[in-house]
Amino acid sequence: MMQGIIDSHIHRYPEHIIADPLGWAAANGEPYWAKMVAPDGLQDWADRARLLRDMDEAGVEKAVIQGWYWQRQENCAELNRWHVRWLKEDPERFIVLASAQPAAGRVAVEDLKRALDEGCSGVGELHPWAQGWSLHDPVWEEIAAMCSERGFPVCFHATETVGRDYTGKLDTPLAEYMALARRFPDLKIVLAHWGGGLPFFMLNRWTAKQLKNVYFDTAASPLLYDARVWKNAVEMAGSTHVLYGSDYPLRVYPSKQSAADMLMLRDEALGALPEDARIAVMRENALRVYGG
Ligand SMILES: [Zn+2]
């Protein structure tokens, strides 16, 4: 179809966490994550072999391994070390981001600097409202300034502002992300999950100007929107501002998938994207934003 796809939003966990996610979460103080990956939910798990197999099957050349919005900085640091290790293991298949918990204070900045020096390409996935910090927190502002200056992107979870309630749904006020983009105009900001609907406001000329460095990824799209979203959101946001991402290994078609795969979403995207947007959305934008 084209050069390989870049999936800009997957998650990966080390085998000791996969073996006992809830036990690990209980022992390490991560109740919010435990709720999100509870066994009756949509979460699937993949070790290295399965992940690479699923990427190959779907023509995904590289995947961006997002961190998680861990509540404890110790867990950010531990998982960041895994990310660096996975990058070293398969440098041509992964781009890795670092997790951070700015509520932990200065240690979050120091740990993050180390992770970026060791090969992480940005920060994410962040969720201030799940992690309990504010976009005006001085520790966060230091991180934002550093990322802006050094060209590192930051990826935030964004929740759709209307719609049904579900496990772990926590509002992420879009006006706050807007204000952040205004305070840090050079910071590359990726808002996951179609930016919670923010692409619509790219139709507003004033807003569009403020959002020139804000990008939207498509993670978990079918759980939230029907396939018309691809064409419509790309038209509103502009094809340079949308990054294909799956949220693998989440089962994003729960009624059709017993296990996560990368094929179904890829086919939905390729079938629904306007032809002249395909290469940008499926590959080039991710390379431009996340490097690699
Ligand atoms: Zn998310």
Side-chain angles (χ1 to χ4, degrees):
M1 51 157 294
M2 59 169 87
Q3 277 179 294
I5 291 167
I6 313 294
D7 184 332
S8 66
H9 192 133
I10 72 160
H11 293 279
R12 179 175 171 183
Y13 300 101
E15 277 167 52
H16 69 279
I17 294 182
I18 295 178
D20 182 16
L22 296 186
W24 179 85
N28 291 278
E30 295 292 345
Y32 188 83
W33 180 80
K35 209 161 59 172
M36 299 293 285
V37 301
D40 58 340
L42 309 170
Q43 191 66 47
D44 195 3
W45 308 92
D47 61 11
R48 173 174 179 268
R50 188 182 148 197
L51 170 56
L52 290 173
R53 203 166 55 236
D54 285 350
M55 287 169 66
D56 290 342
E57 179 188 52
V60 173
E61 179 184 325
K62 279 191 185 199
V64 178
I65 301 177
Q66 297 272 348
W68 185 261
Y69 25 102
W70 302 113
Q71 290 169 273
R72 296 171 58 103
Q73 178 58 32
E74 294 88 333
N75 298 325
C76 296
E78 188 199 332
L79 272 296
N80 289 349
R81 282 192 289 275
W82 281 99
H83 283 204
V84 169
R85 191 165 148 177
W86 293 329
L87 177 69
K88 287 196 176 127
E89 215 166 54
D90 296 297
E92 62 299 313
R93 302 309 299 276
F94 298 114
I95 292 168
V96 298
L97 303 189
S99 302
Q101 167 50 301
R106 293 276 329 152
V107 62
V109 184
E110 296 313 318
D111 285 349
L112 182 60
K113 278 186 183 155
R114 191 170 322 116
L116 295 170
D117 288 342
E118 287 175 350
C120 290
S121 294
V123 191
E125 187 176 0
L126 297 165
H127 190 326
W129 293 273
Q131 292 178 291
W133 51 278
S134 136
L135 291 171
H136 294 274
D137 181 306
V139 173
W140 160 251
E141 298 226 309
E142 186 179 341
I143 291 173
M146 174 185 72
C147 288
S148 173
E149 195 175 308
R150 295 174 61 183
F152 287 115
V154 299
C155 178
F156 287 96
H157 181 89
T159 304
E160 68 284 8
T161 48
V162 293
R164 78 188 171 90
D165 208 15
Y166 48 81
T167 308
K169 185 171 182 185
L170 252 190
D171 198 24
T172 58
L174 300 182
E176 299 246 2
Y177 288 143
M178 280 277 323
L180 178 71
R182 294 184 68 196
R183 290 204 300 285
F184 294 93
D186 296 325
L187 179 64
K188 285 186 270 185
I189 299 172
V190 180
L191 299 179
H193 318 295
W194 292 110
L198 199 53
F200 175 77
F201 295 95
M202 297 287 270
L203 299 176
N204 174 299
R205 234 177 280 124
W206 182 86
T207 313
K209 230 178 265 168
Q210 316 297 319
L211 295 176
K212 70 175 181 351
N213 245 336
V214 174
Y215 300 84
F216 308 100
D217 85 27
T218 70
S221 185
L223 288 175
L224 303 165
Y225 305 102
D226 75 44
R228 287 172 300 170
V229 71
W230 298 92
K231 181 170 178 285
N232 288 310
V234 163
E235 253 170 36
M236 293 188 286
S239 63
T240 51
H241 279 61
V242 175
L243 280 61
Y244 177 75
S246 62
D247 228 352
Y248 177 96
L250 201 64
R251 291 185 303 123
V252 294
Y253 298 93
S255 61
K256 294 187 225 162
Q257 284 171 322
S258 55
D261 70 72
M262 289 181 169
L263 275 176
M264 289 178 82
L265 185 67
R266 178 204 71 178
D267 288 346
E268 179 185 314
L270 290 177
L273 279 170
E275 202 175 328
D276 58 2
R278 265 181 223 161
I279 291 175
V281 171
M282 304 299 288
R283 176 180 173 86
E284 284 171 0
N285 297 339
L287 292 177
R288 201 174 65 250
V289 171
Y290 288 119

